[in-house]
Amino acid sequence: MSSDTGTGLRIVVVGATGNVGTSLVRALAEDGRVASVLGLARRIPEWRPPKATWESVDVGQKPDLVRLFHGADAVVHLAWLFQPTHDPEVTWNTNALGSGRVFEAVAEANVPVLVYASSVGAYSPGSKHCPVDESWPTRGWPGAAYSREKAHVERMLDSFEREHTEVRVVRMRPGFIFKRESATEQRRLFAGPLLPARLVRPSLIPLVPRLRGLRFQVLHSDDAAEAYRLAIHEPVNGAFNLASEPEVDAEFLGALLNARISDLSVRPVRAALAAAWRLHLVPASPHLFDAVLRLPVMDTTRAEVVLGWRPRHTADDVLAEFLAGLRERAGMPTGPLQPRIPGGRWGEVSTGVGQKP
């Protein structure tokens, strides 16, 4: 239902069943200014939050998005494929071309607000000790498909904003996003079936490697969702960096896990990851590892001052909750967040680690 009726906003969330999408749908359900939420996802979930309806949509398959966006007060675009890392044409079709389809449909349906999920991964390499603001170049790291695609979509949005000045466009650039319910999905996406989740506890991890460049920022999914919710309501545009404090490095992880820290060269770690990826033992590619080591640390001042956003969870809270979720095999009744896929871990292996979208 449109805000024109005076009864609340109609919001469409593209990619509504994943890590951030589920938090955002829940936040919008609790927002008195929102009348309805249309969640779009490849697989309609069993989850039934208030105010939400669902439609099965794959943005990689040229769906009729204009019909679905008609009458919406805002579209939030979260949909993104991390897999298959061995077949970047598949991820490109959904992430780059699919995003273009979303943007075109927003304009054709006369939606006044577009909020897009960019990422720290869109940024060009930068300092790990001098935080960068939103003016830092977004050329990504060309070796990693994820970073390359995020940077490409930023260029698409540049063109979109020039051609459609009537649309208020907001780009969110968060750090790495976690919550308890996303832990099992993220284990499947990045670590694969060989990680013994029940052993991920401080008393059983003796060593944390100190790698050059291993310094990054994290964020709780609920805090990310709050930033998206604010962007729907506040008359803001442009990009916003989102992250919690403190920054995560070897010393942080050592304290969190009560583990010893040991200096380690990047080269053997990268070689081991590359070999495991080529053998389909882990889903995360060594190219993503390369990108992570080059990502800049972000300054979140603009989000705090302009958007009025501050995270409620510290980095300690975020990672402690995530590790607990790993041990508990946590999840939600949605396609991406389901705690167990058919066949369990053997199902992950039999369908090809890192191969399934």
Side-chain angles (χ1 to χ4, degrees):
M1 186 176 295
S2 172
S3 59
D4 292 341
T5 67
T7 56
L9 301 176
R10 177 178 181 267
I11 311 299
V12 180
V13 180
V14 184
T17 56
N19 182 14
V20 178
T22 49
S23 288
L24 178 58
V25 170
R26 188 161 46 209
L28 294 175
E30 297 171 357
D31 188 330
R33 290 179 287 179
V34 173
S36 67
V37 180
L38 175 60
L40 307 185
R42 288 185 297 132
R43 292 160 288 183
I44 294 178
E46 298 175 11
W47 183 47
R48 292 291 184 269
K51 300 182 184 178
T53 56
W54 303 100
E55 184 106 15
S56 177
V57 167
D58 184 347
V59 298
Q61 299 297 322
K62 301 182 180 180
D64 184 5
L65 294 173
V66 176
R67 173 183 63 84
L68 298 171
F69 291 175
H70 182 72
D73 295 287
V75 167
V76 181
H77 179 38
L78 304 173
W80 198 267
L81 282 185
F82 288 94
Q83 305 292 351
T85 54
H86 290 273
D87 191 355
E89 289 184 7
V90 175
T91 59
W92 179 266
N93 184 54
T94 291
N95 300 338
L97 302 184
S99 292
R101 296 177 187 115
V102 171
F103 303 157
E104 292 168 4
V106 164
E108 190 171 344
N110 297 313
V111 180
V113 179
L114 168 64
V115 186
Y116 163 67
S118 187
S119 167
V120 62
Y123 279 124
S124 302
S127 173
K128 295 290 186 176
H129 299 284
C130 297
V132 304
D133 66 15
E134 290 81 359
S135 66
W136 192 255
T138 51
R139 301 189 187 99
W141 174 250
Y146 174 81
S147 187
R148 199 165 57 236
E149 290 163 1
K150 286 293 186 185
H152 179 79
V153 177
E154 289 268 0
R155 300 291 74 74
M156 293 170 64
L157 270 184
D158 291 343
S159 299
F160 179 87
E161 286 186 288
R162 286 193 297 269
E163 296 170 7
H164 300 284
T165 56
E166 74 282 3
V167 180
R168 179 169 66 83
V169 177
V170 180
R171 315 177 194 202
M172 296 301 184
R173 295 175 186 156
F176 298 102
I177 305 176
F178 302 96
K179 66 180 174 185
R180 175 185 172 277
E181 296 89 345
S182 72
T184 302
E185 178 207 24
Q186 289 169 321
R187 193 271 303 154
R188 287 194 294 259
L189 286 175
F190 303 112
L194 301 183
L195 178 69
R198 291 188 181 277
L199 301 182
V200 182
R201 61 181 70 247
S203 60
L204 297 175
I205 300 178
L207 185 70
V208 170
R210 183 190 284 114
L211 301 173
R212 183 178 180 181
L214 186 61
R215 187 181 184 90
F216 58 94
Q217 292 162 295
V218 300
L219 183 66
H220 196 285
S221 309
D222 292 348
D223 287 328
E226 176 62 9
Y228 283 96
R229 191 189 69 82
L230 289 171
I232 290 170
H233 293 301
E234 300 298 325
V236 299
N237 55 24
F240 292 95
N241 293 337
L242 305 175
S244 293
E245 294 181 348
E247 295 151 15
V248 178
D249 57 12
E251 284 69 26
F252 177 100
L253 293 173
L256 178 68
L257 298 169
N258 193 26
R260 184 167 57 90
I261 300 168
S262 178
D263 290 322
L264 193 61
S265 172
V266 169
R267 184 173 295 179
V269 175
R270 205 269 184 196
L273 176 60
W277 179 72
R278 286 194 297 270
L279 293 170
H280 291 263
L281 298 177
V282 298
S285 77
H287 315 99
L288 183 60
F289 176 74
D290 296 337
V292 169
L293 296 183
R294 291 165 173 81
L295 294 177
V297 168
M298 299 181 295
D299 182 339
T300 62
T301 301
R302 185 169 192 264
E304 296 168 10
V305 173
V306 177
L307 192 58
W309 172 87
R310 290 189 67 88
R312 293 187 297 108
H313 302 79
T314 67
D316 305 71
D317 299 333
V318 173
L319 290 183
E321 180 179 321
F322 171 70
L323 291 174
L326 278 179
R327 294 192 298 271
E328 298 162 7
R329 299 178 183 177
M332 286 183 65
T334 73
L337 302 187
Q338 58 186 310
R340 178 182 171 86
I341 67 170
R345 295 199 183 208
W346 172 244
E348 295 179 49
V349 174
S350 63
T351 56
V353 175
Q355 284 295 101
K356 192 172 182 180

